Amino acid sequence: MDFTWSQQIAGRRAVYVSDAVALAADPEDLTYLRKQVWRWMAGFCQNVRLHLGGLIVHKPLLAVWVLLALLEILTAPLWWATPFVLAATTDQPPALAFLWWAGAELLLTTPPLLYAARRRKLPLPGVLLNIPCVYATKAVNLVYAWKALIVELLLVPLHLARGLTVYEKGRADHRPMRSASVGVG
């Protein structure tokens, strides 16, 4: 992101390559997931801090998308709190407020999943069965996105934190497993 945005600000173009493939290693446990999500969120916010001014001047449409992503991070807690606010401020029972929210949320979440399943030729039942995992992932992402906003966009400019200085890969502290030797004789 840092390189791409720097190059675009310098006048170069980014080109979409539809055949490109990026192989990823899924985190093996929560420690690796935590490191991966922190790296992604802090890296994004750090790049916003470093490049947003240049994007606004040289790549205004990209700057709009970046600002929309920040707005989504900022407003996500309000969306997640909606059923509680509805239950507290209206005569709706909490269960009905939650059902309304869950229905709206599924209407927003399901179409991209259906599109991805079709495009990648994935079995639709398997994709739909994994919808609860989408919400666990959203919750983890939201926590680290807010942490990144606070650290990279508030504390670092105030010189109260160092921010992200090392892009530590999720498996950086992974120790190779020792193989057991079997004695002969």
Side-chain angles (χ1 to χ4, degrees):
M1 185 178 292
D2 179 48
F3 180 76
T4 303
W5 288 2
S6 296
Q7 295 304 304
Q8 289 185 36
I9 290 167
R12 293 182 178 83
R13 290 180 356 153
V15 178
Y16 174 72
V17 180
S18 63
D19 294 340
V21 175
L23 301 176
D26 291 331
E28 296 170 357
D29 60 32
L30 292 177
T31 298
Y32 299 135
L33 176 65
R34 176 187 58 79
K35 288 179 181 181
Q36 182 183 65
V37 174
W38 170 246
R39 186 177 69 248
W40 290 350
M41 297 302 173
F44 172 73
C45 288
Q46 183 179 79
N47 281 294
V48 168
R49 178 172 43 82
L50 296 173
H51 300 294
L52 186 59
L55 290 176
I56 290 169
V57 171
H58 298 285
K59 299 298 284 185
L61 188 56
L62 178 55
V64 167
W65 285 108
V66 169
L67 291 170
L68 286 173
L70 291 173
L71 181 64
E72 181 182 6
I73 293 168
L74 289 170
T75 59
L78 299 173
W79 175 247
W80 284 61
T82 299
F84 304 104
V85 171
L86 278 175
T89 60
T90 65
D91 292 334
Q92 283 188 344
L96 186 60
F98 178 76
L99 283 174
W100 173 88
W101 177 85
E105 179 63 31
L106 283 172
L107 284 174
L108 294 170
T109 301
T110 307
L113 292 175
L114 295 174
Y115 173 78
R118 192 177 123 254
R119 181 166 170 103
R120 295 185 181 183
K121 297 179 176 89
L122 297 172
L124 188 57
V127 170
L128 295 177
L129 283 173
N130 282 294
I131 285 179
C133 298
V134 170
Y135 292 98
T137 303
K138 282 184 176 189
V140 169
N141 287 346
L142 181 60
V143 167
Y144 282 98
W146 265 84
K147 179 182 174 186
L149 282 176
I150 292 167
V151 171
E152 292 292 343
L153 299 180
L154 182 64
L155 298 180
V156 170
L158 294 173
H159 303 290
L160 298 173
R162 284 184 41 196
L164 183 66
T165 56
V166 176
Y167 285 124
E168 180 183 4
K169 298 298 275 180
R171 290 178 174 76
D173 63 355
H174 182 69
R175 293 178 184 88
M177 293 182 61
R178 295 181 196 182
S179 58
S181 23
V182 178
V184 180

